[in-house]
Amino acid sequence: MKIGIVDTTFSRVNMGAMAVDEIRRHASVAVERITVPGVKDLPVACKKMIEERACDIVMALGMPGGVDKDKMCAHEASQGLIKAQLMTNTHIIEVFVHEDEAKNENELAWLAERRTREHAVNAVKLVLYPEALVKEAGTGQRQGFDDAGPARR
Amino acid sequence: MKIGIVDTTFSRVNMGAMAVDEIRRHASVAVERITVPGVKDLPVACKKMIEERACDIVMALGMPGGVDKDKMCAHEASQGLIKAQLMTNTHIIEVFVHEDEAKNENELAWLAERRTREHAVNAVKLVLYPEALVKEAGTGQRQGFDDAGPARR
Amino acid sequence: MKIGIVDTTFSRVNMGAMAVDEIRRHASVAVERITVPGVKDLPVACKKMIEERACDIVMALGMPGGVDKDKMCAHEASQGLIKAQLMTNTHIIEVFVHEDEAKNENELAWLAERRTREHAVNAVKLVLYPEALVKEAGTGQRQGFDDAGPARR
Amino acid sequence: MKIGIVDTTFSRVNMGAMAVDEIRRHASVAVERITVPGVKDLPVACKKMIEERACDIVMALGMPGGVDKDKMCAHEASQGLIKAQLMTNTHIIEVFVHEDEAKNENELAWLAERRTREHAVNAVKLVLYPEALVKEAGTGQRQGFDDAGPARR
Amino acid sequence: MKIGIVDTTFSRVNMGAMAVDEIRRHASVAVERITVPGVKDLPVACKKMIEERACDIVMALGMPGGVDKDKMCAHEASQGLIKAQLMTNTHIIEVFVHEDEAKNENELAWLAERRTREHAVNAVKLVLYPEALVKEAGTGQRQGFDDAGPARR
């Protein structure tokens, strides 16, 4: 079992290091890490992690900026990540933190860390404990900010 | 004949359980179910259900949030689901309930259940009784809220 | 020569029946028809008509609703239809009538019928009389409402 | 060497005829021409020109209307044209003239002709004289309206 | 090791020449350069550089105009570049400078040069010194304008 981690130099938080750390806490698996310039470079990098380095799942970590052009980049990257998954029949967990989701740098760093760590746990569950996710179905899980919880009737 | 069900932990309603229940009422078929974190994880999960678990049709169940970023995620997921279908020549019935379609949590839960159950019937018809759908052609069917009905001349 | 017709139960007009009727008036060809729930189910259904039922051309008939979410569904369906064509090297004539193109139900029914019938003629020309289309090049043809005509200099 | 020309009956100017004429002025190559109903029919038609009629490059000529729905059609067509190129490793020169780029029918006809002819020259250069394009790199070339020219420092 | 450079005649700055120059300063590698008309022609041109000219990485250089239609062209080009990468398992570094990012022609020329040169360094690192990028992970690197830097906690 091998988990791939790909992050960016564009991000203002070292999300890759956090992902590696969190995965190590939950599973004894091999971990490979690389870094690319920005989110648009993630899709091919993740696909190469799967096809050239035999990763069983990959985390794609990025921090898109807050202006319209950045939103479009994130959108294009997301489409590419979905395509890469379909071409490889392998999950790639996208962890994007948009700079404008946080009120200040401090919250941004907090949010990036928490979302990265919570998604690292999801990645481990997806490949090692899929039945754990079925138990959480429909419970309004969120990564980063608080969970929404199930809708009360 | 095997029907696959994929839902999410992000959803605030256990749509997967409802889909399994409804399918069981209408057909004696095998049913496989898995759960992924969010709607963007659905495309590859559905494709794997088809290619690795031999499903003849899959239901992709999700509940996108109400803000712009969530709408974009739903759009990307939908594009991926269409692509997955084209790559496999197999139908994937998308059942998305947008959080802002309902006025409150109670209606959200009601809508998610009704849309899921009505689409489960569609899935059964598509693989077992396709001629039943031809009879409903152009009749303004809706899933969840009331049917629009045929346009009167 | 075989022409495939795929329409939806979502549509408020039986566009599939009209397409079959119009094609029969213009050509002695085999016609296959199926119906799916909505426009997002059209791409894979059309691809299956080409690859599993040997259709030489397919008409994809749908009636997207008038709100933003419906526009997005139509957009995703259109992208899928183009992709399906590229994967099969076969034309799929998209005939979409947006509910908000018409002022009332009566005009909607009229528009859906006229656009469907005019595009059925296009489908016949594309596979049987391609030179007829070259003669109409640049003449501002429209399907449904009046033609725009050539730009006068 | 063979150049393919695909235009539409939707266009209000016979762009296909102009492209054929201009190419003949610049190169002794075979030319194939077909016409399809609208811009969304261009991607598969161009791909068939490449794969079934052995064209070395294709010009895709269209005139999208001025309303939002037309803009979306043009966008979908453009995405399809790029995909067709990637699937064939062959250039397809997109020549789209938006109806709302011109103030009146006279200017529309003028613009369509000039843009078509200038892009026909580009198509010839791409397949026969690629080094001529390198000499124009970064010079702010435009097709139709006046060139922007290089940015002065 | 061979690096491909593709730029456009539409651009108002000779970005291709700058990229070639910068790469030569940092690595003793073969460099191939071609020029196409506009950004939408970049995806297939880059893919051909990889598959027909054996480039190990490609830089795609373009300068989209400032109006809405130009933004859409850039978006379509970006999607195509990501797709080309996924089809080839090879990085293509997109370097787009939007005309409206700069206040005047002078700044536009400055920005295009600086972004091109900084991304040329990224391209060299990606293929020759990938570990150098891991060291910059999460440091808020920008190409062109000033770096954002890491988020302070």
Side-chain angles (χ1 to χ4, degrees):
Chain A
M1 179 67 57
K2 193 195 280 188
I3 299 182
I5 307 292
V6 189
D7 68 348
T8 67
T9 66
F10 189 97
S11 170
R12 304 181 61 192
V13 175
N14 193 334
M15 297 164 76
M18 293 163 181
V20 172
D21 178 71
E22 190 68 23
I23 285 168
R24 291 254 154 81
R25 295 183 190 203
H26 296 275
S28 297
V29 296
V31 176
E32 292 246 6
R33 181 191 176 184
I34 57 166
T35 300
V36 295
V39 290
K40 292 208 227 181
D41 305 304
L42 289 172
V44 74
C46 291
K47 183 156 177 274
K48 284 160 71 78
M49 285 295 246
I50 295 164
E51 295 185 337
E52 300 176 358
R53 303 208 201 179
C55 290
D56 298 284
I57 192 168
V58 179
M59 292 183 72
L61 309 155
M63 185 180 281
V67 304
D68 275 0
K69 201 156 59 78
D70 298 314
K71 304 273 175 210
M72 194 53 104
C73 287
H75 172 49
E76 292 153 359
S78 292
Q79 291 178 314
L81 289 170
I82 290 174
K83 203 170 320 221
Q85 293 175 74
L86 293 176
M87 292 168 89
T88 58
N89 275 7
T90 302
H91 279 283
I92 298 171
I93 301 291
E94 178 194 302
V95 187
F96 281 5
V97 178
H98 293 256
E99 228 182 316
D100 59 1
E101 283 186 86
K103 313 188 271 295
N104 54 47
E105 294 197 14
N106 189 54
E107 192 184 60
L108 184 64
W110 169 85
L111 178 62
E113 173 151 15
R114 189 156 155 186
R115 187 170 291 159
T116 298
R117 291 191 182 274
E118 293 192 12
H119 265 308
V121 175
N122 276 337
V124 170
K125 287 180 183 168
L126 259 175
V127 285
L128 290 177
Y129 317 109
E131 69 290 347
L133 288 171
V134 176
K135 277 179 196 140
E136 294 175 43
T139 59
Q141 299 295 310
R142 297 292 180 272
Q143 289 75 37
F145 294 119
D146 290 347
D147 291 343
R152 281 160 310 173
R153 263 188 145 148
Chain B
M1 179 66 57
K2 192 196 280 189
I3 299 182
I5 307 292
V6 189
D7 68 348
T8 67
T9 66
F10 189 97
S11 170
R12 304 182 61 193
V13 175
N14 193 331
M15 297 165 76
M18 293 162 180
V20 172
D21 178 71
E22 190 68 24
I23 285 168
R24 290 252 155 83
R25 295 182 189 201
H26 295 275
S28 297
V29 296
V31 176
E32 293 246 5
R33 181 190 176 185
I34 58 166
T35 300
V36 294
V39 290
K40 293 209 226 179
D41 305 304
L42 289 173
V44 74
C46 291
K47 182 154 178 276
K48 284 160 72 78
M49 285 296 245
I50 295 164
E51 295 185 337
E52 300 176 359
R53 302 208 200 179
C55 290
D56 298 284
I57 191 167
V58 179
M59 293 183 70
L61 309 155
M63 184 180 282
V67 304
D68 276 1
K69 201 156 58 80
D70 298 314
K71 304 273 175 211
M72 194 53 105
C73 287
H75 172 49
E76 291 153 0
S78 292
Q79 291 178 313
L81 289 170
I82 290 174
K83 204 170 318 220
Q85 293 175 74
L86 293 177
M87 291 169 89
T88 58
N89 275 7
T90 302
H91 279 282
I92 298 171
I93 301 291
E94 178 194 300
V95 187
F96 281 4
V97 178
H98 294 256
E99 228 183 315
D100 59 1
E101 283 187 85
K103 322 188 262 298
N104 54 46
E105 295 197 14
N106 188 54
E107 192 185 60
L108 184 65
W110 168 85
L111 178 62
E113 173 150 15
R114 190 157 155 185
R115 187 171 291 160
T116 298
R117 291 191 182 275
E118 292 193 12
H119 265 309
V121 175
N122 276 338
V124 170
K125 286 180 183 165
L126 258 176
V127 284
L128 290 177
Y129 316 110
E131 70 289 348
L133 289 171
V134 176
K135 276 179 196 140
E136 294 175 42
T139 59
Q141 298 294 310
R142 297 292 180 271
Q143 288 76 36
F145 294 118
D146 290 347
D147 291 343
R152 281 160 310 172
R153 263 186 146 151
Chain C
M1 179 66 57
K2 193 196 279 188
I3 299 182
I5 307 292
V6 189
D7 68 348
T8 67
T9 66
F10 189 97
S11 170
R12 303 182 62 194
V13 175
N14 193 332
M15 298 164 75
M18 294 163 180
V20 172
D21 178 70
E22 190 68 23
I23 285 168
R24 290 253 155 82
R25 294 182 190 203
H26 295 276
S28 297
V29 295
V31 176
E32 292 245 6
R33 181 192 176 184
I34 57 166
T35 301
V36 294
V39 290
K40 292 208 226 180
D41 305 303
L42 289 173
V44 74
C46 291
K47 183 154 178 276
K48 284 160 71 78
M49 286 295 246
I50 294 164
E51 295 185 337
E52 299 176 359
R53 302 209 200 178
C55 290
D56 298 284
I57 191 168
V58 178
M59 293 183 70
L61 309 155
M63 184 179 283
V67 303
D68 276 0
K69 200 155 60 78
D70 298 313
K71 304 273 175 212
M72 194 53 105
C73 288
H75 172 49
E76 291 152 1
S78 292
Q79 292 177 312
L81 289 170
I82 289 174
K83 203 170 319 219
Q85 293 175 74
L86 293 176
M87 291 169 90
T88 58
N89 275 7
T90 302
H91 280 282
I92 298 172
I93 301 291
E94 177 194 301
V95 187
F96 281 5
V97 178
H98 293 256
E99 229 183 313
D100 59 1
E101 283 187 85
K103 315 188 270 295
N104 54 47
E105 295 198 13
N106 188 53
E107 192 184 61
L108 184 64
W110 168 85
L111 178 62
E113 174 150 14
R114 190 156 154 185
R115 187 170 292 160
T116 298
R117 291 191 181 276
E118 293 193 11
H119 264 309
V121 175
N122 276 338
V124 170
K125 287 181 183 166
L126 259 175
V127 285
L128 290 177
Y129 317 109
E131 69 290 346
L133 288 171
V134 176
K135 277 179 196 141
E136 294 174 42
T139 59
Q141 298 295 309
R142 298 292 180 271
Q143 290 75 37
F145 295 118
D146 290 347
D147 291 342
R152 281 159 309 172
R153 266 191 145 148
Chain D
M1 179 66 57
K2 192 196 280 188
I3 299 182
I5 307 292
V6 189
D7 68 348
T8 67
T9 66
F10 190 97
S11 169
R12 303 182 61 193
V13 175
N14 194 332
M15 298 164 76
M18 294 163 180
V20 172
D21 178 70
E22 190 68 24
I23 285 168
R24 291 254 155 82
R25 295 183 189 203
H26 295 274
S28 298
V29 296
V31 176
E32 293 246 5
R33 181 192 176 184
I34 57 166
T35 301
V36 294
V39 290
K40 292 209 227 180
D41 305 304
L42 289 172
V44 74
C46 291
K47 183 154 177 276
K48 284 160 70 79
M49 285 296 245
I50 295 164
E51 294 185 338
E52 300 176 358
R53 303 209 200 177
C55 290
D56 298 283
I57 191 167
V58 179
M59 292 183 70
L61 309 156
M63 185 180 283
V67 303
D68 275 1
K69 201 156 58 77
D70 298 314
K71 303 274 175 211
M72 194 52 106
C73 287
H75 172 49
E76 292 153 0
S78 292
Q79 291 177 312
L81 289 170
I82 289 174
K83 203 170 322 222
Q85 293 175 74
L86 293 176
M87 292 169 89
T88 58
N89 275 6
T90 302
H91 279 283
I92 298 172
I93 300 291
E94 178 195 300
V95 187
F96 281 5
V97 179
H98 293 256
E99 229 183 314
D100 58 1
E101 283 186 85
K103 316 188 269 296
N104 54 46
E105 295 197 14
N106 188 54
E107 192 184 59
L108 184 64
W110 169 85
L111 178 62
E113 174 150 14
R114 189 156 154 185
R115 187 170 291 160
T116 298
R117 291 190 181 276
E118 292 192 12
H119 265 309
V121 175
N122 276 338
V124 170
K125 286 180 183 167
L126 258 176
V127 285
L128 290 177
Y129 316 109
E131 69 289 347
L133 288 170
V134 176
K135 276 178 198 143
E136 294 174 43
T139 59
Q141 298 295 309
R142 298 292 180 272
Q143 289 76 35
F145 294 119
D146 289 348
D147 291 343
R152 281 159 309 172
R153 266 191 144 148
Chain E
M1 180 66 57
K2 192 196 281 188
I3 299 182
I5 307 292
V6 189
D7 68 348
T8 67
T9 66
F10 189 97
S11 170
R12 304 181 60 193
V13 175
N14 193 333
M15 298 164 75
M18 294 162 180
V20 172
D21 178 70
E22 190 68 23
I23 285 168
R24 290 254 155 83
R25 295 182 189 203
H26 296 275
S28 296
V29 296
V31 176
E32 292 246 5
R33 181 190 176 185
I34 58 167
T35 301
V36 295
V39 290
K40 292 208 226 180
D41 305 304
L42 289 173
V44 74
C46 291
K47 183 155 177 276
K48 285 160 70 79
M49 285 295 245
I50 295 164
E51 295 185 337
E52 299 176 359
R53 303 210 200 178
C55 290
D56 297 283
I57 191 167
V58 179
M59 293 183 71
L61 309 155
M63 184 179 282
V67 303
D68 275 1
K69 201 156 59 79
D70 297 314
K71 303 273 175 212
M72 194 53 105
C73 287
H75 172 49
E76 291 152 0
S78 292
Q79 292 178 313
L81 289 170
I82 289 174
K83 205 170 320 221
Q85 293 175 75
L86 293 176
M87 291 169 89
T88 58
N89 274 8
T90 302
H91 279 283
I92 298 172
I93 301 292
E94 178 195 300
V95 187
F96 281 5
V97 178
H98 294 257
E99 229 183 315
D100 58 1
E101 283 187 85
K103 313 188 272 295
N104 54 47
E105 295 197 13
N106 188 53
E107 191 184 60
L108 184 64
W110 169 85
L111 178 62
E113 173 151 15
R114 189 156 155 185
R115 187 171 291 160
T116 298
R117 292 191 181 275
E118 292 193 12
H119 265 309
V121 175
N122 276 338
V124 170
K125 286 180 184 168
L126 259 175
V127 286
L128 290 177
Y129 317 109
E131 69 289 346
L133 289 170
V134 176
K135 276 178 198 144
E136 294 175 42
T139 59
Q141 298 295 309
R142 298 293 180 270
Q143 289 75 35
F145 294 118
D146 289 347
D147 292 343
R152 281 159 309 172
R153 265 189 145 149

Coordinates of all heavy atoms in Angstrom, one line a residue, chain B residues 8 15-17 46 52 59 64 68-69 77 81 84 108 120 137-138 144 149 152:
Chain B
T8 N -22.4 9.8 -0.2 CA -21.3 10.6 0.4 C -21.5 10.8 1.9 O -22.6 10.8 2.4 CB -21.2 12.0 -0.2 OG1 -22.4 12.8 0.1 CG2 -21.1 12.0 -1.7
M15 N -28.9 9.1 1.9 CA -29.5 8.8 0.6 C -29.2 7.3 0.1 O -30.0 6.7 -0.6 CB -29.1 9.8 -0.5 CG -29.5 11.2 -0.1 SD -28.6 12.5 -1.1 CE -29.4 12.3 -2.7
G16 N -28.0 6.8 0.4 CA -27.6 5.5 0.0 C -28.6 4.4 0.6 O -29.0 3.5 -0.1
A17 N -28.9 4.5 1.9 CA -29.7 3.6 2.5 C -31.1 3.6 1.8 O -31.8 2.5 1.6 CB -29.9 3.8 4.0
C46 N -18.0 5.5 -9.0 CA -19.0 4.8 -9.9 C -18.4 4.0 -11.0 O -18.8 2.9 -11.3 CB -19.9 5.9 -10.5 SG -21.0 6.7 -9.3
E52 N -15.0 -2.8 -11.8 CA -14.3 -3.7 -10.8 C -15.3 -4.6 -10.1 O -15.0 -5.6 -9.5 CB -13.4 -2.9 -9.9 CG -12.3 -2.2 -10.6 CD -11.5 -1.3 -9.7 OE1 -11.8 -1.3 -8.5 OE2 -10.6 -0.6 -10.2
M59 N -26.2 4.3 -9.2 CA -26.8 5.5 -8.7 C -25.7 6.3 -8.0 O -25.1 5.8 -7.1 CB -28.0 5.3 -7.8 CG -29.2 4.6 -8.5 SD -30.6 4.4 -7.4 CE -31.1 6.1 -7.2
P64 N -24.9 18.7 -2.7 CA -24.0 19.8 -2.8 C -24.6 20.9 -1.9 O -25.8 21.1 -1.8 CB -24.1 20.2 -4.3 CG -24.6 19.1 -5.0 CD -25.5 18.4 -4.1
D68 N -21.6 29.3 -3.9 CA -21.0 29.2 -5.3 C -20.0 28.1 -5.4 O -20.0 27.4 -6.4 CB -20.4 30.5 -5.6 CG -21.4 31.5 -6.2 OD1 -22.6 31.1 -6.2 OD2 -21.1 32.6 -6.5
K69 N -19.1 28.0 -4.5 CA -18.0 27.0 -4.6 C -18.6 25.6 -4.6 O -18.1 24.7 -5.3 CB -17.1 27.1 -3.4 CG -15.7 26.5 -3.5 CD -14.7 27.2 -2.6 CE -15.1 27.0 -1.2 NZ -14.7 25.7 -0.6
A77 N -18.4 17.5 -10.7 CA -18.8 16.1 -10.5 C -19.7 15.6 -11.6 O -19.6 14.4 -12.1 CB -19.5 16.0 -9.1
L81 N -19.2 12.4 -14.0 CA -20.2 11.3 -14.1 C -20.6 11.0 -15.6 O -20.7 9.8 -16.0 CB -21.4 11.6 -13.3 CG -21.2 11.6 -11.8 CD1 -22.4 12.1 -11.0 CD2 -20.9 10.2 -11.3
A84 N -17.6 9.3 -17.1 CA -17.5 7.9 -16.7 C -18.5 7.0 -17.4 O -18.2 5.8 -17.8 CB -17.8 7.8 -15.2
L108 N -35.6 19.5 3.3 CA -34.4 19.0 2.7 C -34.4 17.4 2.8 O -34.1 16.7 1.9 CB -33.1 19.6 3.4 CG -31.8 19.2 2.8 CD1 -31.6 19.7 1.4 CD2 -30.6 19.7 3.7
A120 N -34.5 5.9 -8.0 CA -34.2 4.4 -7.9 C -35.2 3.7 -8.8 O -34.8 2.7 -9.5 CB -34.4 4.0 -6.5
A137 N -42.4 9.2 -22.2 CA -41.7 10.3 -23.0 C -42.5 11.5 -23.1 O -43.7 11.5 -23.4 CB -41.3 9.7 -24.4
G138 N -41.9 12.7 -22.9 CA -42.6 14.0 -23.1 C -43.7 14.3 -22.1 O -44.5 15.1 -22.4
G144 N -38.7 14.4 -7.1 CA -38.7 15.2 -5.9 C -39.9 16.0 -5.8 O -41.0 15.6 -5.3
G149 N -45.7 17.9 -16.0 CA -46.8 17.5 -16.9 C -46.5 17.9 -18.3 O -45.6 18.7 -18.6
R152 N -49.7 21.9 -22.5 CA -51.0 21.8 -23.2 C -51.0 22.8 -24.4 O -50.4 23.9 -24.4 CB -52.1 22.3 -22.2 CG -52.5 21.3 -21.3 CD -53.2 21.9 -20.1 NE -52.3 23.0 -19.6 CZ -52.7 23.9 -18.7 NH1 -53.9 23.8 -18.2 NH2 -51.9 24.8 -18.3

